[in-house]
Amino acid sequence: MTTYLHDGTEFDLDGGFTDVIGVEWTWTGRYSDTGEPLLVAGGHSTPLPLPTVYHDHGPLIPLPKRSTGRLVRAAVSADFTASVLDGHTESYEQYALRTTRAAQ
């Protein structure tokens, strides 16, 4: 994790950011001559220093981290029967009874 401290806020440069109007900003991996991380917005090629982006477009909201392959595999291959028995998921029969009663 590469971080940068600006105005008392620590920014994780390895993740992206969204500004207040939804534009996504990512770190280029480079720094300005004064040591500020350079960010680019989607579709633009001119990098801007993080403090400039923060001032002109902020606050910057961290983008959600991507799910790991391991987590995705675990979610996709979860044992449905076990999740019903654990009470995490309702069976089709339970769903049918619940929705039939609600429709009456």
Side-chain angles (χ1 to χ4, degrees), residues 17-69:
F17 306 97
T18 302
D19 65 21
V20 293
I21 62 169
V23 175
E24 291 187 11
W25 294 85
T26 55
W27 181 42
T28 63
R30 300 186 329 253
Y31 294 90
S32 69
D33 294 338
T34 58
E36 299 166 330
L38 296 171
L39 304 179
V40 291
H44 297 290
S45 59
T46 305
L48 295 173
L50 185 143
T52 302
V53 175
Y54 184 79
H55 179 267
D56 295 346
H57 304 279
L60 296 176
I61 304 154
L63 291 171
K65 302 283 185 200
R66 290 186 159 210
S67 299
T68 63

Side-chain angles (χ1 to χ4, degrees), residues 2 5 20 50 70 73-74 77 88:
T2 306
L5 187 65
V20 293
L50 185 143
R70 185 172 141 190
R73 282 189 300 282
S77 64
H88 292 100

